[in-house]
Amino acid sequence: MKNSNVGLIGLGTMGSMLALNIAEKGFHISVFNRTTEITRKFSKTAGKLSENITPCETLHELVTTIKNPRAIILMVPAGSAVDEQIGTLRPLLNPEDIIIDAGNADYNQTNRRASEALENGTGFLGIGVSGGETGARYGPSIMSGGSKQSWDRVSHLFEAIAAKYDGQPCAKWMGEEGSGHFVKTVHNGIEYADMQMIAEIYGIMRDGMQIDARECSEVFARWNNGSLKSYLIEITAKVLSTKDIETGKPIIDLIIDRAGQKGTGRWTAIEAQHLGAPIPIIEAAVAARNLSADLETRRNGELVFGPAPKILPKGSLDLDDLEAALIAGKILCYAQGFALLSSANSTFSWTLPLPEIAKVWREGCIIRSSMLNDMASALAQNPIENLIFSPYFANILKSKSNTLRQVVTSSLASGLPIPALSSALTYFDMMRTSRSTANMIQAQRDYFGAHSFERFDQQGAHHGPWSD
Ligand code: 6PG
């Protein structure tokens, strides 16, 4: 019977949560997973919502139970699995049907899939969905890319399941092709940097100030009532107060300091390099994850060189300093993310709506934070200018950057590794330096490669009178 409004393939954690969210909002959904047992289990655990769910054991069954024209959401792992799924699905579909890749995808692949869909005459959307498991279930932030016509056909469904901020759905069309996945990738780059800076501040408290997990938790919980109010600060406080059931110890003290990654932060760094857009805090955060992963080498390094002192001299920093440093770092890192989006607009001739992106990130997603509302207002006033120059954020940076400097210098002096925070400070300093040292780079380039340089006192391209 053709009565489903939508189909969904891939009942992993995110897929099943999204399916339940869709069913709860009153849409009928047909679901399919390659492993039939998973489909059966899912429909058994759906409870009352199963009234709106049609579990399918074959792709044929899936497509025949969805109303025409069909919309089918893919929630399969990024990469070749998406292409394989599209390959098996497309022959079963009509030209007016839409395939929606709602997983984390490399936007280059989404661009390719969008062109292939155009050639095949079928609809295709690449949608970034943020908010983890809970977001997918109760309201994620949604960044869509692809043909506007396709989005207009399904937007009501995505707006219904999305998080709401002041009643407005956090779901938006960002532009053609892979632009939705590009925005999601930048979101994840910011996510990496935000998490890294929080981890560094936690490290200063833990190692530099010898504060235990319970007390750290109270500090983060307090900060969550101020300018830092955000999902990541909130969960940091909760993580720090959680005890291991077996040992009764803070669970954070039992977790190995080796961070995993699926690679979306790396994609952000790669795309920024392609665009020549500077996002050094995000790059530092990606590098820090890579460094963390090599625990054996770090252990060996500690044996060879000895550990850094780490403990801060008494009274050198207080908790208010750390809060101010984190506020400044956060503004600088979000500013880099938005500048990257702006650079994509110029290079790809996209029209990514920066203020709307800030709005879509205000609820549901992992980087949601009270600052994003002010960022949306600042970007609405001037979507091109780097956020750090908007009067509102410039004032905050003027008042907090000296404290960021104090936190960075004291931490570095004690050997506390703070790659993201120190990168934030250096970025800030570079952004207010009218006379940098790149004249030396230009001279060197000309010396060894006759690449030429410009002069302050004369027009045109020049070469040096190099001695040899
Ligand atoms: C989100 C998250 C989500 C996820 C990624 C990245 O917005 O909901 O970004 O997409 O956490 O899988 O995680 P990694 O840390 O493994 O790269």
Side-chain angles (χ1 to χ4, degrees), residues 3-228:
N3 69 355
S4 286
N5 305 97
V6 65
L8 184 141
I9 299 176
L11 291 168
T13 313
M14 291 294 282
S16 42
M17 293 298 131
L18 211 58
L20 292 176
N21 186 354
I22 292 170
E24 194 172 61
K25 298 297 172 316
F27 298 97
H28 282 257
I29 180 166
S30 293
V31 296
F32 169 81
N33 197 83
R34 213 171 36 169
T35 312
T36 306
E37 201 41 49
I38 292 179
T39 313
R40 289 187 188 146
K41 217 161 133 197
F42 169 75
S43 77
K44 268 192 212 137
T45 52
K48 209 174 158 306
L49 293 177
S50 58
E51 287 169 11
N52 282 351
I53 298 172
T54 305
C56 304
E57 303 205 350
T58 63
L59 274 183
H60 177 77
E61 198 186 336
L62 179 92
V63 297
T64 50
T65 54
I66 306 168
K67 283 183 204 161
N68 286 323
R70 305 178 187 93
I72 299 178
I73 302 170
L74 306 186
M75 288 300 284
V76 298
S80 56
V82 176
D83 290 311
E84 280 158 30
Q85 195 59 73
I86 293 173
T88 46
L89 191 58
R90 190 161 276 141
L92 307 177
L93 300 181
N94 299 321
E96 63 276 15
D97 295 340
I98 307 171
I99 296 178
I100 303 164
D101 176 12
N104 273 335
D106 177 340
Y107 98 98
N108 294 293
Q109 298 195 12
T110 306
N111 277 352
R112 171 182 53 77
R113 289 175 191 134
S115 322
E116 287 167 2
L118 211 61
E119 278 163 30
N120 292 316
T122 47
F124 181 78
L125 291 170
I127 294 191
V129 177
S130 175
E133 197 178 335
T134 314
R137 176 67 183 85
Y138 299 106
S141 166
I142 294 172
M143 297 142 256
S144 169
S147 91
K148 177 78 166 58
Q149 209 188 354
S150 297
W151 171 246
D152 288 343
R153 257 190 41 212
V154 293
S155 58
H156 65 289
L157 182 143
F158 286 99
E159 284 168 1
I161 65 164
K164 309 287 180 303
Y165 182 94
D166 270 354
Q168 290 173 38
C170 294
K172 196 93 201 161
W173 182 73
M174 302 294 165
E176 301 292 328
E177 301 183 305
S179 52
H181 278 142
F182 187 90
V183 174
K184 175 60 171 51
T185 298
V186 175
H187 165 285
N188 279 38
I190 297 173
E191 172 185 307
Y192 272 48
D194 216 348
M195 291 166 74
Q196 176 62 27
M197 286 191 291
I198 292 172
E200 289 173 16
I201 292 287
Y202 152 70
I204 299 172
M205 285 190 218
R206 185 191 68 184
D207 301 331
M209 299 175 163
Q210 308 272 286
I211 299 177
D212 67 20
R214 188 190 48 82
E215 212 184 314
C216 286
S217 163
E218 287 166 10
V219 175
F220 279 105
R222 198 170 66 237
W223 290 350
N224 200 39
N225 295 319
S227 314
L228 285 173

